Amino acid sequence: MAQQKAALSFDLIAKCSVSRARASTMTLPHGPVELPMFMPVATQASLKGLTPEQLESLGCRLCLNNTYHLGLKPGQATLDAVGGAHRLQSWNHNILTDSGGFQMVSLLKLAKITEEGVRFLSPHDGSPMLLTPEHSMSLQNSIGSDIMMQLDDVIATTSPDKERIVEAMHRSVRWLDRCIEAHKYPEKQNLFCIIQGGLDLELRRECVKEMVKRDTPGIAIGGLSGGEEKAKYCAVVRTCTEMLPDMKPRYVMGVGYPEDLVVSVALGADMFDCVWPTRTARFGNAVTSRGTLNLRHASYAADFSPVDEDCDCPCCRSKENGGLGVTKAYIHHLTGKETAGAHILTMHNVYYLLDLMRNARQAIIADAYPSFVKEFFGKIYKYDTAEYPIWAVDALKTVGIDLTEA
Amino acid sequence: MNTFRVLKTAVTDVAATTTQPGATTAARTGVLNLSKGFTVQTPNFLAPTSRGVVPHISPDNFERNTGVEGVFVALEDFIEKAPQRIPPLYTYPSTLRSFISLPSSAFLLLSARRSPNITCPKANSDANLSILTSVGFRDLPIKDYVSAVIRLEPDIVLGIADIANTVSPGKNRVQKMVNRTVKWLDELLGSVYAGGSSSGGGDNNSTDEKDTVKKLPAVFAPILPLEKERQRFYLSHLVENVEKLSGLVFTTNESVDVVPEELAGLPKLQSDVVGGPHQVLEMVERGVDLFNVGFVGTMTDAGIALHFSFSADEVMDNGGKDKLDLATDMWDVKFATDLSPLEEGCDCYTCKTHHKAYIRHCLEAKEMTAWVLLQIHNLKVVERFFGGVRRSIEEGWWEKGRSGFEVKYTREMPVGTGLGPRLRGYQYKSVGGEGKLNEPAYRSLDSGDEDGL
């Protein structure tokens, strides 16, 4: 197998002396990003009402676009004419695109997967369409993302069909080869492979071996975050990171709950994405250091405290300190009624997750990640260890962090 | 002290007066000094708000990317329907400005109702104004408004007019309108000036009292949408209280003509500007100083980008041919790959950073960013327009500018073709029997009976 070209450089800065947590810097075509990191999802080339200027001001340097959505709107011809997604949305930092395969499964009822690709009905006119690895690469080449994902055969981890899971894993490897073959610009766009294999750890190991051989610039762990038990999720992540080369970024797809992030970092993952923080913001839910708050609840109608007292985002920061001084009551007043309410809370939620990972990175560099994890859980559960989720306690124990000890 | 000073009245063009003998213009520039430190050059505009925000503009964008100098806020946006619960805003320990995170660069005008507003099915009573909350109609006790004004510390407060639901109210209703508006204004003035000097101006008072008076909101009295004779009693009441008034507000264009000479020195606010820049110019000509520009948000929601300017350029009249549009519908597919800004040479954030193709894409994809970018641009266009109007009066080319504008631009705004943001209950009044106003976002591909996704 030929050595793959990479359009990134990866520097491992520090490793936690207890857990598998790592701090690194990845330099992509549109500048360096610091790992571990959370990547907000700008599905249709816009982060849900925020301007690129606002997203940049939150410290985001790598966000997602969805290939499937951009393929429909504005469409490949327009993307080519405009000159790619960076140009389309005037975003001068990095973009990661998925392959389009996940939306086939999540959004469409009639997706049928064959060796050739994913068959589905066009949401425009109902005509049959086919998404192949080659087509996915072509679309992502038109988008011009800094990180592209291979088309993989995604099935729900909760699927009881063992045979189908095996088939999907092997097919994902074959599709990776087709993607590598079809990728036009390996010198300026990085293609990441996606490890599949359901919740079967043996299958996952086999997949890791095959994928690592292909030597892609980065490696993703896919097919998770689909409603499986958290303990099983952790086992898969741990199994994969154990075998993955140190000098490549590791991306766990579709993960966005703060607790999942903190635990997954301890298990050795570097990158995460999820629509949850931005979607839930539109429903009036604030992600905070003390858990998620549903600000639509009547109890917040006259709560004039900031969304998160410990947060330094532009919304939570007080007017005296140059922030907007937004209160929970004001979000309550706006949620579901004015778009700007969603914008404000989206900013907060994105900032919270970016900042959580920035702080995690600092802790890893200071070799204090275990105490960072303890403080993080302590704050959410008021240091009542009985309240800590068992899956998190167990998963962290496997990498040497004992949440229950003082 | 809230003061208004007329700086300059537009000079009537000699050529124009010869064709129209006796025609004069009331167009004027002025400066409104508000007691809390705002200096507003007029003619100028206020941005309407909904629930305390300029639609689509989060406070950080407001500060960074708009030049809006004042906002129009309605108390009805902060009142809930259930009367048993105290509206949270009433218990807020600080000012309304702080509650809505309004940037310190903008002044805040408080009104009881939005403008334009939805007509309530129930008529007002002596003590109550009918309002529309986000979940339905209810009464707003006048005394609540009056006490809210003191606590919420707006920079300008509008008196409440009792406006009949019918277009041409009868004699008895008119009498009621006049009596209630007088009574409600007195209650407001009484409350605002309580503790201060009863003579209002405060110039002859001791330093201590002067300081209290200094912080008072500017009270703008409503002019009723009635002919002059029918509100004569009310107008004379305003004249008697002119010392306590800082301005006048009205909703119909005609109302400006009923203003008595004694009140001509007060700044005049047209709170209901839905007609676009031509209406603004017509009203500037008639001496209006401030405008609540409702048409901007309507255009933004329709996906329409404004592009007009008020300049001294020479414009050739060729019989109405080749008139320029005031605005463009950005839903048009012809912009799909257009990398030019919404308006060449515009220095707003949107035009400096983004192109038509992106805005068109965001509209098509129903991404909220579309309206954010359009609103930023549209507000900037209006800001520049008012700057041009002020300059024209200062520099003596108002009439030329105005007739040039008439010749240069079409009168009508384009009609939107695309879908706007999701409509909310407080934005329209159901008349019964109409279909769903918001299209469902998802539909099943293969059958109608199961949920998509």
Side-chain angles (χ1 to χ4, degrees):
Chain A
M1 233 140 299
Q3 173 89 24
Q4 287 305 303
K5 278 185 202 160
L8 64 79
S9 66
F10 182 80
D11 298 303
L12 198 56
I13 308 285
K15 283 169 93 170
C16 172
S17 61
V18 178
S19 70
R20 288 189 198 159
R22 314 137 31 100
S24 56
T25 301
M26 171 167 67
T27 306
L28 291 164
H30 286 84
V33 293
E34 298 188 328
L35 310 183
M37 80 177 313
F38 171 76
M39 304 174 288
V41 186
T43 303
Q44 310 194 81
S46 117
L47 194 88
K48 299 302 166 193
L50 301 198
T51 63
E53 179 187 55
Q54 285 173 306
L55 186 57
E56 185 180 35
S57 76
L58 301 174
C60 177
R61 294 295 178 268
L62 171 54
C63 73
L64 261 77
N65 281 177
N66 287 110
T67 299
Y68 166 83
H69 289 100
L70 292 191
L72 289 175
K73 286 172 188 176
Q76 188 164 17
T78 300
L79 283 165
D80 285 334
V82 168
H86 292 87
R87 192 97 195 273
L88 176 71
Q89 62 204 294
S90 303
W91 174 249
N92 297 323
H93 303 294
N94 298 290
I95 294 175
L96 182 151
T97 44
D98 65 348
S99 62
F102 181 70
Q103 272 74 25
M104 299 294 150
V105 183
S106 70
L107 284 180
L108 300 164
K109 301 184 72 175
L110 287 183
K112 202 172 169 192
I113 299 168
T114 65
E115 188 58 29
E116 206 184 353
V118 187
R119 282 190 183 285
F120 65 101
L121 294 180
S122 159
H124 280 326
D125 51 11
S127 62
M129 295 179 78
L130 178 68
L131 180 73
T132 61
E134 292 75 20
H135 185 214
S136 172
M137 287 300 105
S138 161
L139 268 173
Q140 295 188 69
N141 283 148
S142 290
I143 290 169
S145 44
D146 302 275
I147 298 176
M148 320 162 41
M149 303 307 299
Q150 73 156 109
L151 184 70
D152 52 348
D153 186 353
V154 192
I155 44 161
T157 45
T158 46
S159 165
D161 188 347
K162 171 86 204 280
E163 233 171 88
R164 177 71 186 90
I165 292 173
V166 175
E167 185 195 30
M169 186 280 272
H170 288 295
R171 182 174 287 149
S172 293
V173 176
R174 290 194 295 274
W175 282 3
L176 173 62
D177 289 333
R178 284 169 63 186
C179 285
I180 291 172
E181 185 70 27
H183 180 14
K184 274 187 290 192
Y185 311 117
E187 69 291 345
K188 56 179 186 184
Q189 289 181 271
N190 299 287
L191 172 62
F192 280 27
C193 65
I194 305 174
I195 294 162
Q196 290 291 347
L199 300 174
D200 184 324
L201 301 184
E202 245 341 281
L203 265 185
R204 286 276 177 178
R205 284 196 189 96
E206 202 184 328
C207 192
V208 171
K209 269 184 220 149
E210 286 302 316
M211 295 288 189
V212 167
K213 272 193 227 162
R214 269 80 177 168
D215 196 27
T216 52
I219 295 163
I221 303 173
L224 293 172
S225 199
E228 69 278 354
E229 284 169 48
K230 286 281 174 76
K232 288 185 176 161
Y233 159 84
C234 291
V236 170
V237 173
R238 196 176 60 243
T239 305
C240 294
T241 57
E242 204 163 45
M243 297 173 66
L244 291 175
D246 254 358
M247 294 311 291
K248 283 193 179 170
R250 305 152 175 184
Y251 163 30
V252 181
M253 302 177 79
V255 173
Y257 294 139
E259 284 144 295
D260 297 9
L261 258 54
V262 169
V263 172
S264 301
V265 166
L267 298 177
D270 306 315
M271 298 160 69
F272 311 92
D273 81 286
C274 192
V275 297
W276 174 76
T278 42
R279 177 176 294 166
T280 211
R282 299 197 294 284
F283 303 151
N285 295 316
V287 187
T288 79
S289 57
R290 286 169 180 80
T292 302
L293 313 175
N294 177 3
L295 297 182
R296 274 173 314 163
H297 193 272
S299 60
Y300 296 108
D303 185 336
F304 304 117
S305 61
V307 173
D308 185 348
E309 266 150 42
D310 298 334
C311 181
D312 196 37
C313 84
C315 318
C316 294
R317 219 181 316 138
S318 67
K319 284 235 171 193
E320 295 74 52
N321 293 317
L324 302 175
V326 169
T327 62
K328 294 189 183 91
Y330 192 43
I331 301 284
H332 174 89
H333 179 72
L334 293 177
T335 293
K337 298 199 170 83
E338 276 303 322
T339 58
H343 305 162
I344 297 170
L345 201 52
T346 299
M347 276 195 280
H348 164 79
N349 283 359
V350 167
Y351 182 92
Y352 175 78
L353 284 167
L354 291 174
D355 203 47
L356 180 68
M357 290 293 98
R358 280 193 285 259
N359 292 333
R361 188 173 194 272
Q362 286 310 309
I364 296 164
I365 292 172
D367 202 9
Y369 194 63
S371 50
F372 171 85
V373 175
K374 283 178 198 168
E375 202 189 315
F376 168 80
F377 277 96
K379 247 178 158 175
I380 294 180
Y381 298 101
K382 302 189 176 69
Y383 296 92
D384 179 359
T385 49
E387 289 290 314
Y388 289 10
I390 292 160
W391 66 268
V393 174
D394 290 348
L396 288 166
K397 228 175 244 167
T398 63
V399 288
I401 299 175
D402 188 354
L403 273 187
T404 53
E405 100 192 342
Chain B
M1 266 295 277
N2 301 293
T3 60
F4 179 72
R5 194 156 49 89
V6 174
L7 294 176
K8 192 163 180 182
T9 305
V11 194
T12 310
D13 190 356
V14 182
T17 41
T18 48
T19 50
Q20 274 179 292
T24 51
T25 172
R28 61 189 192 178
T29 55
V31 57
L32 174 64
N33 284 302
L34 296 170
S35 61
K36 292 196 181 94
F38 295 96
T39 302
V40 187
Q41 305 291 333
T42 65
N44 214 325
F45 73 102
L46 288 89
T49 64
S50 175
R51 300 187 76 75
V53 287
V54 177
H56 313 299
I57 303 292
S58 56
D60 57 325
N61 263 334
F62 189 121
E63 191 149 28
R64 206 162 39 208
N65 293 322
T66 79
V68 172
E69 291 180 55
V71 293
F72 189 105
V73 183
L75 188 64
E76 72 177 343
D77 283 351
F78 297 85
I79 311 273
E80 302 308 327
K81 184 164 168 67
Q84 58 270 37
R85 209 176 75 188
I86 299 167
L89 185 64
Y90 290 0
T91 62
Y92 184 58
S94 187
T95 59
L96 177 56
R97 148 184 304 281
S98 156
F99 185 72
I100 63 173
S101 300
L102 184 66
S104 54
S105 55
F107 68 88
L108 189 156
L109 177 146
L110 183 69
S111 163
R113 299 212 61 194
R114 291 170 169 236
S115 187
N117 53 44
I118 306 257
T119 306
C120 298
K122 189 171 161 252
N124 303 327
S125 65
D126 285 346
N128 295 304
L129 178 74
S130 272
I131 60 165
L132 174 59
T133 72
S134 68
V135 286
F137 300 99
R138 63 160 268 185
D139 286 342
L140 171 67
I142 304 299
K143 64 172 172 39
D144 283 9
Y145 179 67
V146 166
S147 57
V149 165
I150 302 304
R151 214 171 24 236
L152 300 177
E153 296 185 32
D155 303 295
I156 299 176
V157 56
L158 301 189
I160 305 176
D162 176 34
I163 295 175
N165 285 356
T166 51
V167 187
S168 49
K171 202 176 154 203
N172 289 338
R173 184 68 184 93
V174 166
Q175 198 172 355
K176 231 185 236 174
M177 283 170 75
V178 167
N179 290 341
R180 279 183 192 156
T181 308
V182 165
K183 179 171 169 277
W184 294 348
L185 183 65
D186 286 349
E187 284 173 32
L188 178 64
L189 289 172
S191 169
V192 166
Y193 287 97
S197 154
S198 57
S199 67
D203 290 20
N204 309 321
N205 294 315
S206 69
T207 329
D208 279 7
E209 279 172 335
K210 221 170 163 181
D211 281 348
T212 344
V213 174
K214 233 172 68 183
K215 294 275 165 65
L216 297 181
V219 178
F220 278 39
I223 300 286
L224 295 168
L226 295 171
E227 298 84 0
K228 196 167 188 166
E229 311 77 66
R230 302 181 89 190
Q231 55 177 318
R232 192 172 296 279
F233 172 70
Y234 175 62
L235 293 173
S236 63
H237 186 72
L238 293 184
V239 171
E240 279 162 33
N241 286 281
V242 65
E243 293 288 298
K244 292 181 182 172
L245 300 178
S246 301
L248 301 171
V249 56
F250 43 83
T251 51
T252 67
N253 291 0
E254 294 68 36
S255 298
V256 70
D257 301 328
V258 310
V259 174
E261 195 54 38
E262 295 91 327
L263 303 177
L266 293 173
K268 299 191 236 13
L269 163 68
Q270 162 60 289
S271 71
D272 216 353
V273 187
V274 292
H278 289 287
Q279 185 193 356
V280 171
L281 294 180
E282 190 189 316
M283 298 312 287
V284 167
E285 174 78 13
R286 287 153 86 170
V288 178
D289 307 288
L290 290 164
F291 297 84
N292 182 39
V293 287
F295 70 91
V296 179
T298 315
M299 291 295 109
T300 298
D301 282 357
I304 290 170
L306 304 179
H307 43 72
F308 52 81
S309 62
F310 193 81
S311 70
D313 297 348
E314 218 47 70
V315 186
M316 296 305 279
D317 190 350
N318 55 1
K321 279 179 290 176
D322 310 322
K323 279 204 177 193
L324 298 178
D325 287 326
L326 294 164
T328 301
D329 180 6
M330 294 313 298
W331 280 85
D332 197 320
V333 70
K334 73 180 178 205
F335 300 122
T337 57
D338 190 334
L339 298 181
S340 64
L342 287 179
E343 188 181 3
E344 278 314 329
C346 176
D347 65 347
C348 78
Y349 164 74
T350 304
C351 289
K352 275 188 304 185
T353 319
H354 297 282
H355 41 68
K356 293 189 184 112
Y358 183 52
I359 287 148
R360 200 259 164 192
H361 161 70
C362 287
L363 284 170
E364 175 84 10
K366 292 216 85 180
E367 283 286 330
M368 290 183 279
T369 308
W371 300 303
V372 175
L373 296 177
L374 280 169
Q375 187 81 314
I376 287 172
H377 171 74
N378 287 347
L379 286 168
K380 188 61 79 175
V381 169
V382 170
E383 182 192 329
R384 273 199 302 266
F385 172 77
F386 276 94
V389 168
R390 285 195 299 273
R391 259 194 323 280
S392 76
I393 299 169
E394 294 293 335
E395 296 167 6
W397 49 272
W398 156 252
E399 296 220 332
K400 181 185 175 201
R402 199 193 156 200
S403 55
F405 194 91
E406 289 284 340
V407 172
K408 191 171 173 187
Y409 294 103
T410 53
R411 198 150 176 101
E412 299 306 317
M413 290 287 194
V415 179
T417 55
L419 293 168
R422 226 184 144 71
L423 280 170
R424 303 292 171 185
Y426 54 87
Q427 290 168 328
Y428 66 94
K429 185 177 170 187
S430 170
V431 291
E434 70 265 64
K436 278 202 190 310
L437 286 159
N438 296 306
E439 288 285 320
Y442 289 100
R443 245 183 264 263
S444 175
L445 275 174
D446 50 341
S447 60
D449 53 7
E450 285 171 85
D451 283 342
L453 207 131

